[in-house]
Amino acid sequence: MALRLFQRRARQITAAVIVVGLAVIVAWSFAISWYPAPRSYPFQGPDVSAANGVIEWPVVRGGGASFAYLTATVGAETRDPMFPANWSDVYAAGLRRGAIHVYSLCRLAADQANNFNTTVPRTSDALPPALVVDFEDGCAARPERAVVIGEIERLIATIETHIQRPVLLKVSRRFDAAYRVTLAIDRPIWSTQNFFPPDYAARPWRMWQASDMRRIDGAPTPVHWNVVTP
């Protein structure tokens, strides 16, 4: 009797584990393929860096993308090795393109601006340049808010002088909570939050990173997927 009871419970537990496993697989499959409805957000596209590998941009365009943002520079010295190829290939595929600089709290604004401005060409077809503002691994600096805001403003002014377009501010929730950047700097906001529209910025967002895990045809790794307000 005890053996039969044990076997029955073991079968029940096994069945429950299988059901949970299948549910996890279904949920994960949904998560990596999800994106906001094009009828609500017709202007959509990825942002990528060298970490995403070699991308087939005509395939990405065929999958519904209408633009792409490309990481160009990080801090004062790093240049994304895939930026030149991505910059030309996105244009050849017929997609709109924009360049990204990843801000560093550990480097001066003037040096970072020089890195970006000597890497990214000024072209009339380009989307506004984007400044990614977040805490970075390997940089423990936490300056006072006035210092941070002043440095970001100097960086923006120098980049805008070169590109001659207003900068788009991609500010993370945690950085904005610490420094209130979106309250201090009046630039279009690019907010981030998976699946649900974010509301942490001081003003409504212009662009929303809706997923940091979307799998798309033409890209060998998951990409950040973004939409623009209609």
Side-chain angles (χ1 to χ4, degrees), residues 174-223:
R174 60 180 182 173
F175 199 98
D176 207 42
Y179 287 106
R180 305 191 308 281
V181 174
T182 60
L183 180 65
I185 300 176
D186 185 15
R187 291 296 185 279
I189 296 169
W190 180 354
S191 293
T192 68
Q193 181 168 279
N194 285 344
F195 310 123
F196 301 100
D199 60 0
Y200 60 85
R203 300 183 310 281
W205 49 266
R206 182 75 55 82
M207 189 148 78
W208 165 32
Q209 180 187 295
S211 175
D212 62 5
M213 64 182 78
R214 188 179 179 207
R215 297 302 302 256
I216 59 173
D217 291 338
T221 62
V223 299

Side-chain angles (χ1 to χ4, degrees), residues 159-170:
I159 289 176
E160 289 179 344
T161 298
H162 170 63
I163 299 295
Q164 297 188 349
R165 292 178 186 276
V167 161
L168 185 64
L169 273 176
K170 186 178 186 181

Side-chain angles (χ1 to χ4, degrees), residues 106 136-140:
C106 286
E136 59 178 328
D137 295 337
C139 175

Side-chain angles (χ1 to χ4, degrees), residues 74-78 101-113 132-144 147-148 151-152 155 175 179:
V74 180
E77 298 172 350
T78 302
H101 175 75
V102 180
Y103 175 71
S104 172
L105 282 169
C106 286
R107 302 306 300 268
L108 292 174
D111 296 332
Q112 297 190 57
V132 173
V133 182
D134 196 0
F135 298 111
E136 59 178 328
D137 295 337
C139 175
R142 297 294 183 268
E144 293 295 323
V147 174
V148 172
E151 282 289 281
I152 293 175
L155 177 57
F175 199 98
Y179 287 106

